[in-house]
Amino acid sequence: MFLMKDIVRDGDPVLRKRAENVQFPLSDEDKKLAEDLMEYLVVSQDPELCEKYNLRAGVGLAAPQVGVSKMMASVLVPAEDENDEPVFKDVIINPVIVSNSVQKGALTEGEGCLSVDKDIPGYVPRSARITLKYTDVDGKDHKIRLKNYPAIVCQHEIDHLHGTLFYDHIDKDDPFSRTDDEIFIY
């Protein structure tokens, strides 16, 4: 299981590299990576386990964040009600955003990142809706539409695969600037 000591921190060159595509069928090493990426999210979202292992809770974790420059990320957006199925849960491999809305969205509290230890205030404008193509660990292709929070989470993780960090999107001169047509997700 990955622990916080395994998470690569801002400043490490792997976070600024474009990751390599993953080949199918997955190697045993890639299967283990996918399993470990998702396990971190599941454990980190359980308050007792999160405290036991001294983790920071996360909804996404990309392979470069654990020092592996491969096009793979785990995403686990929990349901509002803990008894419901997660809004989105999968390991996305070789993901591509094939279309996105013109309308922008941003989280009201800004974004955070397991690889960035300091709080960087500001709105991170992203597409409010995306269509995402990816392959899962079993080699099955998916094409799904996501909106609002799940769309933002996936864009954040895909950015990691392209060497971009969330704060690269923040307006340096006016970090809390917004346009009239932006939607804000709480």
Side-chain angles (χ1 to χ4, degrees):
M1 180 174 85
F2 290 125
L3 300 173
M4 286 307 298
K5 69 175 179 56
D6 302 310
I7 307 290
V8 173
R9 298 309 204 278
D10 192 8
D12 189 304
V14 73
L15 293 174
R16 293 302 188 167
K17 272 179 63 174
R18 179 177 169 80
E20 299 291 324
N21 277 348
V22 176
Q23 302 302 313
F24 283 89
L26 292 184
S27 66
D28 289 344
E29 179 183 301
D30 286 341
K31 287 178 188 173
K32 175 82 169 109
L33 175 62
E35 183 182 302
D36 290 348
L37 289 170
M38 184 57 75
E39 182 185 30
Y40 179 94
L41 298 180
V42 170
V43 171
S44 80
Q45 289 183 21
D46 179 314
E48 286 179 19
L49 292 176
C50 192
E51 187 174 333
K52 175 181 177 181
Y53 294 110
N54 196 27
L55 304 179
R56 283 173 49 199
V59 291
L61 184 62
Q65 291 182 272
V66 294
V68 181
S69 190
K70 291 189 175 181
M71 287 274 183
M72 181 188 298
S74 59
V75 177
L76 176 52
V77 179
E80 293 286 326
D81 182 338
E82 64 183 47
N83 296 322
D84 291 341
E85 290 293 313
V87 174
F88 184 78
K89 178 182 181 182
D90 212 345
V91 175
I92 59 175
I93 301 172
N94 302 330
V96 176
I97 296 170
V98 293
S99 67
N100 56 287
S101 64
V102 173
Q103 185 179 39
K104 297 293 181 190
L107 301 179
T108 53
E109 295 181 1
E111 292 184 21
C113 180
L114 295 170
S115 292
V116 179
D117 290 327
K118 63 185 178 196
D119 183 34
I120 301 177
Y123 295 137
V124 181
R126 298 193 183 274
S127 296
R129 294 176 307 284
I130 62 171
T131 300
L132 176 66
K133 278 178 58 176
Y134 70 94
T135 307
D136 67 20
V137 294
D138 297 320
K140 182 178 176 203
D141 292 329
H142 297 264
K143 184 175 179 182
I144 60 168
R145 289 190 174 132
L146 298 167
K147 65 180 183 176
N148 300 333
Y149 188 60
I152 286 173
V153 172
C154 284
Q155 289 171 84
H156 178 113
E157 296 313 315
I158 291 168
D159 270 357
H160 276 300
L161 306 179
H162 296 274
T164 303
L165 294 173
F166 75 92
Y167 60 76
D168 296 338
H169 297 287
I170 297 173
D171 183 325
K172 307 297 180 252
D173 298 323
D174 187 1
F176 291 99
S177 67
R178 60 184 289 186
T179 60
D180 290 340
D181 67 337
E182 270 181 326
I183 59 170
F184 281 80
I185 295 127
Y186 302 92

